[in-house]
Amino acid sequence: MDEAIAGPRCPICGNDRWHDRAMPECNHCGLAVAGLGFDAAAVRDAIRASLTGRAPDRGFALAPHARRNAAWALGFVAEDDGWRVATPMPHAVTLGMIARAGEADVVAALLDALRPQVADAIVLVDGDAAPLAARVPWARVGSHPLAGDFAAQRNRVQAMATGWVLQLDSDERPDAALLAALGWLTRAAEREGLRSLGIPRRNLVDGVPSALWPDIQYRLNRADVRYAGTVHERPAVPFDATALALAGAIDHYLTRSRVIERSRVYEAMSAGAGRPGDEAALLRPFTAAT
């Protein structure tokens, strides 16, 4: 296996780890560059020129899956034998959420804000769901104990939906770019037979963006997809049925105390799930270089 070396952040996905090869390759999105002394804006411009047929690949290389990752990140979708600029379009994406009891106010505010932009909403509460159900009668609100198994709770939400499902937690918000892209992203995914899309998550700790970026979360899935893993759950689908949807992000709001407590709780749930490396990155402010 290639050693992952630190370097500048990828011009496409923002990752700062690279496979140590003749052409260093981003170990997230697959962009390969001639060297790590690149100008990020120039690389993006060169990829745009390649996608629109104005110039050949020069200074970078993209395998087919990496080309799709880059195209979507830059707002292009496949059309016939080429690429075109994506445009917003209607969608039927269901918003799915898992929440804790006592979060009715927070969840209701989020659901009401997103109501014009989602086709349906499903929320499973780990506890009494009545306060939330009364606040958002238009949403489907149910109750089921989390019982220390995040995958099982997400799968209950998946089973209640059809089509595509965007799953969020109560401390997460989709940004405007992601909401605007849901239609063309899901249409493009269906065209290519994809079932699970990984979305960058932007962690904000006490309001400060953290170094843990892009923190890919596979949260946009076909309803028949099921998650596995009690903690840090991931969709149980073949790799070739997945892609990175880099056209927007999920904002994740945390406090320093919550980060530390979360690591402790996750470690207690599953050995190794505390991920001290992730905790350290969450508590370190984002910089463009590392």
Side-chain angles (χ1 to χ4, degrees):
M1 181 178 293
D2 295 307
E3 180 185 358
I5 57 174
R9 291 195 176 270
C10 173
I12 295 302
C13 71
N15 173 48
D16 65 353
R17 293 295 183 270
W18 300 80
H19 292 302
D20 189 8
R21 298 174 179 169
M23 290 186 71
E25 179 183 311
C26 173
N27 70 359
H28 272 32
C29 72
L31 168 68
V33 291
L36 293 181
F38 57 75
D39 177 274
V43 172
R44 288 191 292 269
D45 286 345
I47 294 173
R48 289 189 188 95
S50 172
L51 293 172
T52 55
R54 293 182 287 114
D57 293 5
R58 185 172 291 118
F60 69 91
L62 293 166
H65 77 281
R67 189 171 297 275
R68 178 182 59 213
N69 290 339
W72 287 4
L74 296 173
F76 289 83
V77 290
E79 182 177 64
D80 300 324
D81 293 328
W83 301 86
R84 65 169 176 81
V85 175
T87 56
M89 60 178 60
H91 65 82
V93 174
T94 294
L95 174 64
M97 293 189 67
I98 59 176
R100 293 173 293 182
E103 296 181 328
D105 290 345
V106 171
V107 174
L110 173 60
L111 292 176
D112 285 339
L114 295 179
R115 186 178 184 183
Q117 296 157 303
V118 296
D120 188 18
I122 300 168
V123 186
L124 270 187
V125 181
D126 177 26
D128 183 10
L132 178 60
R135 291 283 304 276
V136 285
W138 59 273
R140 291 189 278 162
V141 179
S143 175
H144 198 287
L146 177 65
D149 192 330
F150 286 94
Q153 195 79 324
R154 291 203 191 282
N155 289 340
R156 294 180 185 104
V157 173
Q158 292 288 110
M160 296 169 66
T162 58
W164 287 88
V165 187
L166 173 64
Q167 288 233 20
L168 298 175
D169 294 338
S170 59
D171 55 4
E172 296 173 336
R173 304 291 183 272
D175 70 7
L178 176 58
L179 290 171
L182 286 176
W184 65 261
L185 276 175
T186 52
R187 182 78 60 86
E190 288 173 354
R191 174 175 173 164
E192 298 193 36
L194 301 171
R195 300 172 58 214
S196 179
L197 301 182
I199 301 171
R201 184 167 67 176
R202 183 184 299 112
N203 296 288
L204 298 107
V205 180
D206 292 330
V208 178
S210 85
L212 187 60
W213 168 260
D215 193 16
I216 300 296
Q217 303 291 310
Y218 284 84
R219 297 290 192 79
L220 185 55
N221 299 282
R222 294 289 304 177
D224 63 336
V225 168
R226 295 294 179 264
Y227 285 87
T230 57
V231 184
H232 302 303
E233 63 282 2
R234 291 177 64 87
V237 297
F239 176 77
D240 61 5
T242 72
L244 298 185
L246 303 172
I250 295 171
D251 287 327
H252 188 203
Y253 295 91
L254 296 159
T255 62
R256 182 183 181 86
S257 61
R258 171 61 181 152
V259 170
I260 296 170
E261 173 66 9
R262 191 180 74 153
S263 297
R264 185 192 66 79
V265 170
Y266 286 2
E267 185 65 27
M269 292 172 66
S270 178
R275 293 185 178 179
D278 281 5
E279 178 182 304
L282 281 167
L283 297 178
R284 188 171 68 249
F286 175 91
T287 64
T290 60

